[in-house]
Amino acid sequence: MAKIGSFGTEIGSKAMLLGSGELGKEVAIELVRLGVEVVACDRYEGAPAMQVAQSSVALNMLDGEALRGAIEACKPDHIIPEVEAIATPTLVELEKEGYHVTPTANAALLTMNREGIRRLAAETLGVATSAYRFASTKEEFLEAVHEVGIPCVVKPIMSSSGHGQSVVKSEADVERAWTISQEGGRAGAGRVIVEGFVDFDYEITLLTVRNVAGTQFCQPVGHIQQDGDYRYSWQPQAMSTVAIAKAQEIAKKVTDALGGYGIFGVEMFIKGDDVIFSEVSPRPHDTGMVTMISQDMSEFALHARALMGLPVPAIRFYGPSASKAIVVEGNTNRVEFGNLEKVLEEPGVDIRIFGKPEVRGHRRLGVILATADSVEEAIAKCDRAYAKLEIKVLPEEK
């Protein structure tokens, strides 16, 4: 029987977020709504989830000793990884000692880097994927590019939001791709995956919820990427019934192998009725931010409910919806968003400002959401709202 006791008492429930960005912030809000005490962790102070959690800890989560110390001091009922850059072997050890990791420590370990999940999907489960090779040195990388062929995509085995990712379109791009991969990985320079270029019509994220009531699927999320990072997402992505069935079959096979309860963002390429597996995140997905306006329970509410051992009997989809990322360029700790009364003047439009404390280069600082009678009109609403948004990058405050 699932129980949540009084906050702040010995019978209360405590969750520790490992990663406190915009996605972690929404998970924290949903957990707090359930009466759960949230401890938000990240590598820096003032991260978005820290602004809504009851307490916070700043630490290097790749430092296994520091991570263990923080967890043992907190004694959480639930450890919730929200980023890839975590000392996952430490989580595996702690799970064996009795701590509960969402969805499981093994899922976090396998999906923390692209090698673990790619080998599980392609080599263990027999799921269709793109051609791929892994490389640890520049020599191995050059050989991998030769074997996979050009064009190809190069990614650090551990990164997110497109960091370190690039496309090799010709021999002239090879040297640059290696440099980008070594500078952009979450754990610094290291091993990469070289993927064969997939001929696809579109790509989707299939948000898959494993919970005590079984496995549920959200409407497929379509999205547009730029430099490996999402710029637009929408629901529903139009798909044939055959493709939807195949996508759900693949998503269930992969998430069942990972196990545990929570939401998984399963990324796939679609070509006609064919479905090719790409990646999976055992946590809410950035493209899934559209669910904050498209359905009765956002991906964050679904994650919180599932990991707490509560059922998700059904997901009510409201209708065509879209999101547009607000990406800001500059080097400052002072950004001002203005003209918001105009941004929100059109019915069916909303905005989330993440509260990130600074920008270095470029950074996603918010998202515009919209609903409409069609996906195309929802995207157009996002564009109209974005065009009205005034963004001032002010001089840094020392």
Side-chain angles (χ1 to χ4, degrees), residues 373-395:
D373 292 331
S374 69
V375 162
E376 292 75 18
E377 179 55 25
I379 293 172
K381 272 189 180 182
C382 287
D383 284 336
R384 289 195 293 270
Y386 193 93
K388 298 170 188 174
L389 182 65
E390 294 180 358
I391 303 172
K392 291 184 180 179
V393 178
L394 303 172

Side-chain angles (χ1 to χ4, degrees), residues 324-335:
K324 180 180 173 70
I326 300 171
V327 179
V328 177
E329 296 187 2
N331 286 282
T332 186
N333 58 4
R334 299 171 68 221
V335 177

Side-chain angles (χ1 to χ4, degrees), residues 72-115:
E72 289 180 342
C74 175
K75 296 181 174 61
D77 300 293
H78 301 274
I79 300 170
I80 309 170
E82 284 297 313
V83 294
E84 291 85 356
I86 300 172
T88 46
T90 299
L91 295 184
V92 173
E93 294 171 3
L94 289 166
E95 188 175 73
K96 290 177 181 177
E97 295 167 21
Y99 286 93
H100 183 269
V101 181
T102 297
T104 66
N106 189 53
L109 179 68
L110 285 173
T111 59
M112 176 190 180
N113 69 66
R114 293 180 167 91
E115 183 165 3

Side-chain angles (χ1 to χ4, degrees), residues 250-273:
I250 289 172
K252 190 171 190 307
K253 182 180 289 188
V254 172
T255 56
D256 281 352
L258 294 174
Y261 291 155
I263 199 160
F264 297 78
V266 186
E267 297 178 70
M268 290 174 272
F269 299 108
I270 315 297
K271 179 70 173 179
D273 290 338

Side-chain angles (χ1 to χ4, degrees), residues 117 121 125 127 204-210 215-218 243-259 264-268 275-280:
I117 192 60
L125 302 178
V127 169
I204 66 165
T205 303
L206 188 60
L207 297 169
T208 304
V209 192
R210 298 190 85 250
T215 298
Q216 303 283 357
F217 303 99
C218 296
I244 289 175
K246 286 183 179 179
Q248 291 181 350
E249 180 183 1
I250 289 172
K252 190 171 190 307
K253 182 180 289 188
V254 172
T255 56
D256 281 352
L258 294 174
F264 297 78
V266 186
E267 297 178 70
M268 290 174 272
V275 180
I276 300 172
F277 173 81
S278 176
E279 296 179 0
V280 60

Side-chain angles (χ1 to χ4, degrees), residues 200-397:
F200 61 93
D201 297 328
Y202 54 90
E203 54 186 320
I204 66 165
T205 303
L206 188 60
L207 297 169
T208 304
V209 192
R210 298 190 85 250
N211 65 99
V212 293
T215 298
Q216 303 283 357
F217 303 99
C218 296
Q219 291 288 323
V221 178
H223 47 88
I224 292 175
Q225 305 275 345
Q226 182 178 320
D227 299 325
D229 198 7
Y230 116 94
R231 290 295 186 268
Y232 292 90
S233 67
W234 57 85
Q235 277 181 304
Q237 168 63 52
M239 298 176 65
S240 71
T241 55
V242 172
I244 289 175
K246 286 183 179 179
Q248 291 181 350
E249 180 183 1
I250 289 172
K252 190 171 190 307
K253 182 180 289 188
V254 172
T255 56
D256 281 352
L258 294 174
Y261 291 155
I263 199 160
F264 297 78
V266 186
E267 297 178 70
M268 290 174 272
F269 299 108
I270 315 297
K271 179 70 173 179
D273 290 338
D274 294 329
V275 180
I276 300 172
F277 173 81
S278 176
E279 296 179 0
V280 60
S281 299
R283 61 186 70 90
H285 199 273
D286 54 3
T287 62
M289 283 192 280
V290 66
T291 61
M292 289 190 284
I293 200 169
S294 67
Q295 52 192 52
D296 63 341
M297 288 182 283
S298 71
E299 63 170 341
F300 312 105
L302 292 168
H303 195 49
R305 183 182 283 213
L307 72 89
M308 290 301 296
L310 303 174
V312 180
I315 302 167
R316 183 183 177 191
F317 180 65
Y318 291 143
S321 307
S323 77
K324 180 180 173 70
I326 300 171
V327 179
V328 177
E329 296 187 2
N331 286 282
T332 186
N333 58 4
R334 299 171 68 221
V335 177
E336 182 179 86
F337 297 97
N339 206 35
L340 295 175
E341 71 280 5
K342 292 296 183 182
V343 172
L344 298 174
E345 67 182 354
E346 191 171 357
V349 175
D350 207 347
I351 190 171
R352 298 287 190 277
I353 297 172
F354 302 147
K356 292 180 178 178
E358 64 180 19
V359 182
R360 300 295 171 212
H362 71 276
R363 199 175 191 187
R364 188 170 60 216
L365 298 189
V367 65
I368 291 175
L369 307 163
T371 59
D373 292 331
S374 69
V375 162
E376 292 75 18
E377 179 55 25
I379 293 172
K381 272 189 180 182
C382 287
D383 284 336
R384 289 195 293 270
Y386 193 93
K388 298 170 188 174
L389 182 65
E390 294 180 358
I391 303 172
K392 291 184 180 179
V393 178
L394 303 172
E396 180 140 8
E397 184 178 79

